[in-house]
Amino acid sequence: MESGTFYNENKANQLRRIKLAAVVFVTFLLQSNQYIFPRITDAPFMLLVPLIVSIGMFEKERWGMFFGLFAGVLMDAFSAESLCFHSIALTCIGFFSGLLITGIFRNCMKTFFLISAVSLFIYNTVYFLMFYFIYFSLFLLHSQVAFHLLSIHFFVLSNCVRAESTVPN
């Protein structure tokens, strides 16, 4: 076993990460419950993205990626349109927030707000493009094709019936 795995760490780090997993789970429950926080213009609160950013900032890349995956799997398991989008997006957010803190930025509040704002913007933009724009376009294309196929089918059938009724016996 390599050094630095979960089993070789001290008890304080293990306990801290178990507590973080519990915080992620409770935050997921708060985010997914629509009756706790009022929804303004039917927009849900995104509590997990800033939480994953903060975990990635303080626990670095690997654990930020792990907790992002955990939160994403929770969101994918209980969402109607999943396609593993939440898992992939939150894993990347946790990894890149830890990577940015390790290599480029300092670990401070300004950095947290900057990374959280950029992550939320990218997350919601990609979500909108994937689930609203592309799905709506495909649905619109599918409904247009179905409409034209049905109208052609109806036209051919009505002409066949009309042709049969005009044929002398």
Side-chain angles (χ1 to χ4, degrees), residues 32-75:
S32 62
N33 191 346
Q34 61 184 352
Y35 300 112
I36 292 178
F37 298 114
R39 292 186 179 211
I40 302 169
T41 65
D42 204 32
F45 285 96
M46 299 298 295
L47 301 173
L48 281 174
V49 174
L51 179 67
I52 297 303
V53 167
S54 65
I55 290 173
M57 286 174 66
F58 289 103
E59 295 290 325
K60 303 303 178 221
E61 302 97 355
R62 180 176 48 170
W63 288 102
M65 185 172 62
F66 172 73
F67 283 110
L69 179 65
F70 176 62
V73 166
L74 282 174
M75 287 179 72

Side-chain angles (χ1 to χ4, degrees), residues 27-125:
T27 306
F28 165 72
L29 290 177
L30 288 174
Q31 177 178 319
S32 62
N33 191 346
Q34 61 184 352
Y35 300 112
I36 292 178
F37 298 114
R39 292 186 179 211
I40 302 169
T41 65
D42 204 32
F45 285 96
M46 299 298 295
L47 301 173
L48 281 174
V49 174
L51 179 67
I52 297 303
V53 167
S54 65
I55 290 173
M57 286 174 66
F58 289 103
E59 295 290 325
K60 303 303 178 221
E61 302 97 355
R62 180 176 48 170
W63 288 102
M65 185 172 62
F66 172 73
F67 283 110
L69 179 65
F70 176 62
V73 166
L74 282 174
M75 287 179 72
D76 282 335
F78 294 102
S79 68
E81 69 276 331
S82 118
L83 296 176
C84 297
F85 170 76
H86 303 293
S87 299
I88 295 169
L90 290 176
T91 302
C92 291
I93 287 171
F95 176 76
F96 284 116
S97 63
L99 187 68
L100 288 173
I101 292 301
T102 303
I104 299 173
F105 293 120
R106 289 186 331 195
N107 205 350
C108 63
M109 253 348 223
K110 291 178 186 176
T111 307
F112 168 71
F113 286 124
L114 177 70
I115 294 175
S116 291
V118 169
S119 297
L120 279 169
F121 178 75
I122 291 172
Y123 180 85
N124 289 325
T125 304

Side-chain angles (χ1 to χ4, degrees), residues 3-25:
S3 64
T5 60
F6 186 75
Y7 299 106
N8 293 336
E9 293 180 355
N10 59 10
K11 294 286 183 185
N13 286 341
Q14 291 178 0
L15 190 60
R16 184 178 72 238
R17 293 193 176 118
I18 290 171
K19 288 177 184 177
L20 282 174
V23 167
V24 168
F25 185 71

